[in-house]
Amino acid sequence: NNYIITGFNVSGAFNVTAREGNTEVLKFETPGRMFRDHSAWYHIVMAYDSTQGTARNRFRVYFNGVEDDRSLDTTPNQNVELAVLDAVEHNIGRDNHSATTYYYDGYMAEVYWIDGLQLDPTYFGKFNSNNVWIPVEKDKGAGGAITFGTHGFYFEFKQTGTGTNSSGMGADTSGNDNHFA
């Protein structure tokens, strides 16, 4: 019963839900803001730091470089560690916390996991001269070089193998060698 699920629902809203045991510790939804352009590129930064004294700052979400400042449905308590990086199976693009397994039906260009820091989107993208949010090369953002932390990873999805190594699709190119299968 420990999980974090992020994704788009059938109406096009973005949702995040985290549970610890039978307790919902985080819930974020974007009703009224729908992501329905299936040909569009969306850049999403989710930044979690439960040590923040201000409840609203513990979980922040940015879409295409702009923070979504709506209230959280459930705000995490201070110093709540989510069941991330525990010695359990982790999935990206797959939700199997219930009897039915769901798969993300789309493309992911890059996935960053930063362990120990709450970074803003300037590390990952910038606005171009037309005021359109575009990605930047790793470590080239205005925020500066990225420190991944012990359990952090960076998936570019450039490899094609099936192994849990630097040749597999889940190759971690952060330098930490936290490869996924």
Side-chain angles (χ1 to χ4, degrees):
N1 287 332
N2 296 334
Y3 60 82
I4 301 170
I5 299 173
T6 64
F8 300 95
N9 67 21
V10 293
S11 65
F14 183 77
N15 302 298
V16 179
T17 303
R19 293 186 70 85
E20 291 290 317
N22 292 322
T23 304
E24 183 175 86
V25 296
L26 169 67
K27 185 156 186 77
F28 173 84
E29 295 182 294
T30 62
R33 180 173 187 181
M34 303 301 162
F35 298 86
R36 293 184 176 148
D37 185 350
H38 299 285
S39 65
W41 173 83
Y42 294 109
H43 181 263
I44 302 169
V45 172
M46 294 178 290
Y48 182 82
D49 179 0
S50 67
T51 66
Q52 295 286 325
T54 303
R56 178 62 188 99
N57 293 337
R58 293 180 196 143
F59 182 72
R60 303 174 89 160
V61 181
Y62 303 84
F63 297 102
N64 295 334
V66 177
E67 184 170 10
D68 189 306
D69 60 0
R70 71 188 71 230
S71 297
L72 297 168
D73 295 315
T74 305
T75 303
N77 290 328
Q78 193 168 19
N79 300 316
V80 168
E81 298 260 346
L82 300 179
V84 178
L85 306 174
D86 289 347
V88 296
E89 179 179 301
H90 287 64
N91 296 287
I92 295 174
R94 177 180 159 200
D95 168 7
N96 66 337
H97 79 282
S98 62
T100 305
T101 299
Y102 299 95
Y103 294 93
Y104 176 65
D105 185 20
Y107 295 102
M108 285 185 252
E110 297 176 330
V111 173
Y112 287 82
W113 184 272
I114 310 302
D115 178 21
L117 296 172
Q118 187 184 48
L119 302 181
D120 66 54
T122 62
Y123 286 83
F124 314 103
K126 67 178 184 178
F127 289 102
N128 68 11
S129 59
N130 294 319
N131 206 32
V132 174
W133 187 257
I134 59 171
V136 295
E137 205 175 312
K138 184 173 92 51
D139 296 329
K140 304 285 185 187
I146 296 171
T147 303
F148 286 89
T150 304
H151 301 290
F153 53 81
Y154 173 45
F155 297 156
E156 297 177 278
F157 302 112
K158 290 182 177 179
Q159 295 74 7
T160 59
T162 57
T164 310
N165 56 40
S166 60
S167 298
M169 286 185 293
D172 172 18
T173 56
S174 73
N176 283 347
D177 292 332
N178 292 324
H179 308 297
F180 276 41

